[in-house]
């Protein structure tokens, strides 16, 4: 028929669509490129880099303890610089797979998506500390040094990883002949209305609470080490708690993504990413609770 020729679907598959239900109806829309894919790929690449950084910090802590104050922060800076290649590789490979063309902007956003906001907030806090004459304020030369490390090490490694990831994705497409196992229709499927318990806000709260409940006890000791006088030494327990957190977060995210697809909504790219990052909302809320509970000021 004319409809099947326009949609590039055989008549047999077009006639059998009505017999399926739920997620089976989305086989021709499941790999449709998401909106604002350049920002999604940059966020995923930054997440891969942060994950690698945290794993390196915890593993090094299990092998050799951080006995001096500030050793963890120094290790975090070094590990973040060394893992910049991973962030650029993952972001560029994903962006090329989704059919993106502005790969240079994608790499640039990947390099700035985490360091930009963090550096901005840190500069504001450091300026306030300067104004009050605090001894915890970093000198101007230290800020220039950090910027030089980012410009000379982190950014070039991100660019190098982006180039390698983009070429690897292109080579895979040339070898297999296609990016995804299913062909995407030209016309997007209409998304039905969802119930209140399928809304994004409800799902993010549910997905974030379950992983947070598996690690919130360990957070108390970590925050005492960051803002208190104690030095955290239980990195073996932290590694186990972190692995448990990853397992719970991944399982819950996959489960709720399945519920999302079963509701005949193919827009799963951003939903799955935000579901995994919903844990940060509870982390931030616990930081506020810890601040008022301990009576800190300043």
């Amino acid at each position: 028929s004319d409809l099947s020729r326009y949609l590039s679907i055989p008549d047999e598959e077009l006639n059998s669509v009505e017999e399926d239900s739920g997620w089976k109806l989305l086989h021709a829309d499941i790999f449709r490129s998401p909106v604002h894919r350049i920002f999604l790929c940059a966020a995923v690449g930054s997440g891969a880099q942060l994950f690698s950084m945290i794993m390196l910090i915890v593993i090094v802590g299990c092998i050799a303890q951080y006995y001096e104050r500030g050793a963890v922060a120094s290790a975090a800076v070094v590990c973040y610089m060394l893992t910049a290649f991973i962030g650029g590789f993952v972001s560029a490979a994903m962006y090329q797979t989704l059919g993106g063309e502005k790969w240079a902007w994608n790499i640039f956003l990947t390099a700035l998506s985490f360091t930009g906001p963090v550096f901005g907030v840190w500069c504001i806090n450091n300026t306030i500390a300067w104004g009050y004459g605090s001894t915890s304020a970093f000198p101007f030369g230290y800020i220039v040094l950090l910027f030089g490390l980012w410009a000379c090490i982190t950014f070039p490694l991100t660019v190098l990883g982006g180039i390698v990831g983009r070429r690897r994705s292109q080579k895979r497409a040339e070898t297999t002949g296609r990016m995804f196992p299913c062909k995407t229709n030209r016309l997007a499927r209409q998304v039905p209305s969802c119930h209140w318990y399928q809304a994004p806000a409800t799902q993010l709260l549910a997905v974030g609470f379950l992983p947070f409940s598996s690690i919130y006890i360990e957070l108390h000791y970590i925050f005492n080490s960051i803002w208190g006088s104690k030095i955290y030494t239980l990195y073996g327990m932290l590694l186990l708690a972190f692995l448990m957190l990853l397992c719970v977060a991944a399982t819950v995210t996959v489960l709720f993504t399945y519920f999302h697809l079963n509701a005949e909504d193919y827009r799963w790219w951003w939903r799955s990413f935000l579901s995994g990052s919903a844990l940060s909302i509870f982390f931030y809320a616990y930081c506020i609770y810890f601040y008022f509970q301990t009576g800190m000021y300043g």
Side-chain angles (χ1 to χ4, degrees), residues 19-277:
E19 300 177 1
D20 298 329
S21 61
W23 58 271
K24 297 179 181 179
L25 296 173
L26 304 179
H27 68 279
D29 293 281
I30 192 66
F31 292 113
R32 189 176 300 279
S33 181
V35 295
H36 308 301
R37 56 190 172 187
I38 188 171
F39 298 106
L40 176 63
C41 296
V44 172
S46 298
Q49 182 178 355
L50 290 175
F51 170 76
S52 304
M53 179 194 73
I54 294 174
M55 287 297 298
L56 283 177
I57 293 174
V58 176
I59 292 175
V60 172
C62 294
I63 299 174
Q65 298 289 339
Y66 302 105
Y67 291 110
E68 297 182 1
R69 177 68 62 178
V72 177
S74 301
V77 173
V78 174
C79 292
Y80 184 80
M81 290 189 300
L82 297 179
T83 55
F85 179 87
I86 299 176
F89 179 87
V90 173
S91 177
M94 182 179 178
Y95 186 67
Q96 181 67 28
T97 302
L98 294 178
E101 299 176 353
K102 302 178 180 179
W103 63 272
W105 278 106
N106 167 249
I107 297 175
F108 183 73
L109 287 175
T110 304
L112 284 179
S113 58
F114 178 76
T115 54
V118 170
F119 186 75
V121 172
W122 179 72
C123 285
I124 294 175
N125 293 335
N126 199 62
T127 304
I128 296 175
W130 274 349
Y132 281 95
S134 175
T135 57
S136 62
F138 291 97
F140 181 75
Y142 190 81
I143 299 177
V144 175
L145 176 62
L146 288 178
F147 181 78
L149 291 175
W150 177 85
C152 298
I153 299 178
T154 304
F155 187 73
L157 284 178
T158 305
V159 174
L160 179 62
I163 295 175
V164 174
R166 181 170 176 266
R167 290 181 178 177
R168 182 181 178 86
S169 182
Q170 289 177 340
K171 185 179 298 185
R172 186 182 63 179
E174 294 174 357
T175 303
T176 60
R178 55 183 180 179
M179 290 292 188
F180 302 110
C182 299
K183 192 172 184 179
T184 303
N185 287 346
R186 296 182 182 178
L187 292 179
R189 179 181 178 83
Q190 184 178 2
V191 178
S193 58
C194 61
H195 300 284
W196 65 269
Y197 54 85
Q198 295 173 331
T202 307
Q203 178 175 338
L204 293 181
L205 289 176
V207 175
F209 175 76
L210 293 176
F212 176 77
S213 62
S214 65
I215 199 177
Y216 79 96
I217 297 177
E218 199 69 22
L219 283 179
H220 181 77
Y221 300 101
I222 297 175
F223 289 167
N224 275 333
S225 174
I226 296 175
W227 290 301
S229 58
K230 299 180 180 178
I231 297 179
Y232 189 84
T233 57
L234 302 176
Y235 286 95
M237 294 296 299
L238 180 61
L239 179 60
L240 294 177
F242 184 62
L243 293 177
M244 183 174 62
L245 172 67
L246 292 178
C247 293
V248 175
T251 304
V252 174
T253 301
V254 171
L255 178 62
F256 276 83
T257 301
Y258 169 77
F259 291 156
H260 179 70
L261 296 176
N262 205 39
E264 301 180 14
D265 192 346
Y266 61 87
R267 301 169 300 182
W268 64 277
W269 295 94
W270 276 107
R271 180 72 71 91
S272 60
F273 175 79
L274 294 177
S275 297
S277 61

Side-chain angles (χ1 to χ4, degrees), residues 223-224 226-228 287-298:
F223 289 167
N224 275 333
I226 296 175
W227 290 301
C287 288
I288 298 175
Y289 168 76
F290 185 85
Y291 176 82
F292 287 104
Q293 184 192 36
T294 54
M296 292 188 298
Y297 63 92

